[in-house]
Amino acid sequence: MKQSDSHKLRLGMVGGGEGAFIGAAHRAAAALDGRIQLVCGNFSRAPDNNRRSGRALGLSPARIYPDWRTLIESEAALPESERMQALTITTPNQLHVPIAEAALRAGFHVFSEKPAGVSLAEVKALKSALDASDRKYALAHTYLGYPLVQQARQMVIDGALGRIRKIYVSYRQGWLSSGLENSGNKQAGWRTDPALAGASGCMADIGTHAFSLAEFVSGQPITHLCAELRSHVEERRLDDDGAALFRTAGGASGVLIASQVCAGEENDLTLHIYGEKGGLEWRQMAPDTLVHRIPGGEVRLLRAGSDKNFLHPRALQGLRLPAGHPEGYLEAMANLYRDFAASILDGVPANYPGLETGIRGMAFIEAVVASRGNWVALADTVDSPTEVLS
C-alpha cells in the first residue's frame, strides 16, 4: 500500500460487476472525496464477468475473489494494515443479510444497498450481530444525502412549518411498464423474483425510499397504514405499483405512492409536507431547489449554493460546488460515504442512515404486504407482528 493511501478507508465490494448500474454508482460516490480506496471485490457469480470487472478497476488478480465467502475469509487472513476495513454490498436483496452478518462477525464495517434484507425478522437478527460487534453499518438510502433534504428536515425541526399535518410522497418510474424481466434483463429479473427480492417488488425497491424520506423529513415515525398493491403486467409475480394512506406518531396523515409502471416517467421522487405555518416541496429530479410555501401566498425558492446565509450548516456541509453547478445522485451518495468514512477513520458520530432505518423499512414492507386494504400497525412501531386493525 502506498504511503499516500494510508489515510484512506480500504473498501471491498460484493456485486456491482460489468453491466450493473448500482455498483458503478457506489464506486464513483465512494471515490469522490478521496477518502476511500477500493482494494478487493467479488463482482459477479459469472467468473468471466467477475475477472473482467476486477481487472477494469485495476485490482490485483489475487484480490478478485470467486465468491463473497472467500472474499471475507481471505481478507480477514491478511495483515491488519492491508486487509479491507469495510464491505459494500450491492447484490440482490436475499444476500444482504447473510453477507452483512458474515462481514460483521469477521470484523468488517458494512455499507449495504437497501432494503436491508428480505424480512423484518432477519434484519432484527442482523441488529443483534451488529450490537455484538464494534463495527459500523450504513444503508444506501441515497436520497437522504441530498443537501436540501437535510435542509427540509432542519426546517421542520426548527419549527418553520409548525405542527406537521399532512405528508404526500410519491415515487414514479416507468421502466417496468412492460415485461422486461422476460427479455433477459437481469435488473428486472431479480427485482420481480420473490426468491431474490422478497415479498414485495416495487414497494421494496422504491417504496422504501419514499417511506424513509417521509419519516426523515417529518421526524415522525409512521405508525399505521392502509395499502393496496398491484401487479399490472401479466404474470408478474411481485407488485409493480402500490399506494398507502398512513398516520404518524405526531398526528399527521399522509399518502404514499410508488409505481414502476408509470409509462414515460424516469425517476420522479417527490415530497410535499405541510404544517400549521406553511409547506415544503422537494423533487429528486430538481434536487437543488426546495420550495417553501407560506400562508398568504408567499413562495420562497431555496437554492443549493445560493442561500448560504439561510441554509443550515448540515445542508451546506453536503455541497461541493458554487451556485448554478448542479449536484445530483452521485454527490448525495458520496455524502453518505464521506460520513461513513469519517465515522470509521476519525471517530466522529455516525450521521448516515443505519440499521434502524433498515428495520423501519422492513416493517413498512411487511405492513403494506399484510394490509390488503385494511389498516395495519407497523410491527416495529408496536414491537409485535404486523397487526390488522378492526
Side-chain angles (χ1 to χ4, degrees):
M1 183 177 62
K2 298 177 181 178
Q3 184 64 33
S4 61
D5 292 334
S6 62
H7 71 291
K8 294 185 178 181
L9 179 71
R10 297 183 298 277
L11 185 70
M13 175 174 282
V14 179
E18 185 179 273
F21 151 72
I22 199 63
H26 274 267
R27 290 190 292 271
L32 189 59
D33 292 304
R35 299 216 68 191
I36 299 175
Q37 178 188 16
L38 184 71
V39 297
C40 65
N42 163 237
F43 303 101
S44 173
R45 291 176 296 177
D48 288 345
N49 185 320
N50 185 39
R51 285 191 293 270
R52 284 196 308 269
S53 299
R55 286 197 300 264
L57 295 167
L59 296 182
S60 163
R63 299 181 80 176
I64 304 171
Y65 296 104
D67 58 75
W68 62 267
R69 291 181 178 86
T70 302
L71 183 153
I72 291 173
E73 293 170 1
S74 299
E75 288 293 313
L78 292 175
E80 186 175 357
S81 61
E82 297 178 19
R83 70 175 71 126
M84 73 174 183
Q85 297 163 285
L87 182 64
T88 288
I89 303 169
T90 63
T91 66
N93 301 348
Q94 93 284 6
L95 289 175
H96 289 181
V97 166
I99 297 174
E101 186 172 23
L104 291 170
R105 294 193 187 283
F108 299 116
H109 306 283
V110 171
F111 194 112
S112 177
E113 255 303 320
K114 39 58 56 193
V118 294
S119 75
L120 180 58
E122 73 162 2
V123 175
K124 284 189 171 182
L126 178 62
K127 185 177 185 302
S128 297
L130 179 63
D131 290 344
S133 74
D134 60 352
R135 303 293 89 180
K136 310 287 186 182
Y137 177 99
L139 195 63
H141 274 285
T142 298
Y143 305 111
L144 306 188
Y146 276 105
L148 289 185
V149 169
Q150 297 284 336
Q151 175 68 23
R153 173 180 170 85
Q154 291 299 326
M155 290 177 68
V156 170
I157 290 172
D158 293 342
L161 303 188
R163 183 174 63 86
I164 301 302
R165 292 171 168 169
K166 201 72 183 177
I167 304 166
Y168 296 94
V169 61
S170 64
Y171 200 153
R172 296 188 296 270
Q173 296 177 339
W175 75 289
L176 286 178
S177 293
S178 63
L180 198 59
E181 63 269 32
N182 300 317
S183 66
N185 184 293
K186 292 182 179 179
Q187 301 305 312
W190 77 256
R191 283 177 169 83
T192 56
D193 184 346
L196 302 180
S200 173
C202 176
M203 278 296 181
D205 192 24
I206 64 173
T208 50
H209 279 303
F211 171 81
S212 67
L213 181 65
E215 288 203 332
F216 181 77
V217 174
S218 71
Q220 298 183 15
I222 291 172
T223 59
H224 301 81
L225 60 79
C226 175
E228 178 191 52
L229 300 181
R230 295 284 305 277
S231 178
H232 289 276
V233 174
E234 187 176 356
E235 297 184 356
R236 180 166 284 165
R237 291 179 288 173
L238 290 176
D239 55 286
D240 52 29
D241 175 73
L245 303 174
F246 64 82
R247 306 167 187 159
T248 75
S253 61
V255 180
L256 184 152
I257 296 171
S259 181
Q260 293 173 312
V261 293
C262 292
E265 289 287 356
E266 295 174 338
N267 200 61
D268 190 8
L269 172 60
T270 302
L271 173 72
H272 294 81
I273 181 167
Y274 302 96
E276 298 168 307
K277 301 178 182 179
L280 294 172
E281 175 188 341
W282 180 81
R283 289 190 64 197
Q284 194 277 150
M285 291 177 64
D288 52 358
T289 300
L290 179 65
V291 181
H292 182 199
R293 292 187 172 88
I294 302 170
E298 182 180 351
V299 178
R300 182 176 185 182
L301 300 182
L302 303 178
R303 297 280 294 165
S306 297
D307 293 288
K308 293 187 176 180
N309 292 327
F310 186 80
L311 293 183
H312 191 274
R314 177 61 180 160
L316 293 173
Q317 182 183 351
L319 294 169
R320 295 172 176 80
L321 299 174
H325 296 77
E327 297 186 46
Y329 182 83
L330 291 180
E331 288 87 351
M333 185 183 286
N335 287 337
L336 303 188
Y337 267 107
R338 182 182 59 193
D339 290 345
F340 180 61
S343 71
I344 296 168
L345 298 175
D346 306 328
V348 302
N351 202 356
Y352 46 79
L355 195 54
E356 291 295 339
T357 301
I359 290 173
R360 292 292 302 154
M362 292 311 309
F364 165 73
I365 293 168
E366 294 203 353
V368 296
V369 170
S371 172
R372 300 179 182 272
N374 298 297
W375 280 96
V376 301
L378 271 68
D380 188 51
T381 303
V382 297
D383 198 25
S384 66
T386 301
E387 175 188 0
V388 178
L389 306 182
S390 58

